[in-house]
Amino acid sequence: MLNPINTDVVIRDGGAHGRYPGEIHEVVGWWLGACLVSTLKAHRIAVAHDGRASSVVFVQRLCRGAISAQHHACTVLTLRVADEDILLRTMAELGEVPGARVSTTGPEGAETVSVVLYGPDGKALDEDTGLATIRRMIADDRVPIPVNETAKGRIEHYPHPPTAEGAKQ
């Protein structure tokens, strides 16, 4: 592993969380995307972020990792900026697919990035539903890579549904 992280500290509470820069770096997004797809054997996932610059970088890496996960040829549907409720509704609408949402808090240069991974049931992954497996894969440097170009997936922009406020108008 070229740039290791302390997986026991960072991979917790439904995903990866850490100070950026410092505890977490952009490649963690790639690792999480590839490991999420491989662990859940997903052929389609939905992703979103909060619009902050650091979140965008992490979600871009996550998407590239997800489409590169072994032979799964995963289609990543990106909602771009969307809150957790919109992401969860979209995951259910798509047929209970897994998902991920990246958010950033704090001032630039001392931010905390959180990447929450969701199972097809819309719940954040826990130790028994894939998080322990993902932590172990990253710690053991066993992040899945594509077997060949034809096994690679694709990223598509997904038009997310209107917000609850927009639906009332």
Side-chain angles (χ1 to χ4, degrees):
M1 184 179 301
L2 294 175
N3 198 355
I5 59 168
N6 183 336
T7 53
D8 292 330
V9 170
V10 173
I11 310 291
R12 60 182 165 73
D13 302 328
H17 313 273
R19 281 186 326 277
Y20 173 71
E23 293 176 321
I24 195 168
H25 51 79
E26 299 94 336
V27 179
V28 173
W30 198 100
W31 298 341
L32 291 172
C35 291
L36 175 68
V37 168
S38 292
T39 299
L40 300 182
K41 298 175 181 19
H43 293 285
R44 188 163 59 162
I45 66 169
V47 299
H49 60 83
D50 63 3
R52 299 242 339 229
S54 297
S55 298
V56 171
V57 171
F58 275 80
V59 90
Q60 288 171 340
R61 293 287 181 102
L62 188 143
C63 290
R64 288 194 301 238
I67 67 169
S68 300
Q70 292 177 321
H71 59 278
H72 296 286
C74 183
T75 298
V76 176
L77 301 165
T78 176
L79 282 69
R80 296 171 297 281
V81 178
D83 64 21
E84 182 183 49
D85 290 339
I86 291 173
L87 174 64
L88 295 176
R89 277 199 329 260
T90 302
M91 289 166 50
E93 177 183 291
L94 291 169
E96 298 182 343
V97 301
R101 184 167 186 278
V102 181
S103 60
T104 302
T105 58
E108 190 173 326
E111 300 166 316
T112 297
V113 172
S114 292
V115 182
V116 179
L117 306 173
Y118 300 92
D121 60 0
K123 295 178 183 167
L125 295 185
D126 62 26
E127 295 301 306
D128 297 328
T129 59
L131 196 61
T133 301
I134 290 170
R135 182 185 308 106
R136 190 170 46 257
M137 290 169 78
I138 293 171
D140 294 345
D141 199 16
R142 298 283 182 223
V143 176
I145 57 173
V147 290
N148 60 50
E149 272 303 305
T150 61
K152 207 166 191 179
R154 66 184 182 281
I155 300 168
E156 297 178 1
H157 294 292
Y158 187 80
H160 49 80
T163 63
E165 288 178 11
K168 291 177 188 175
Q169 295 177 353

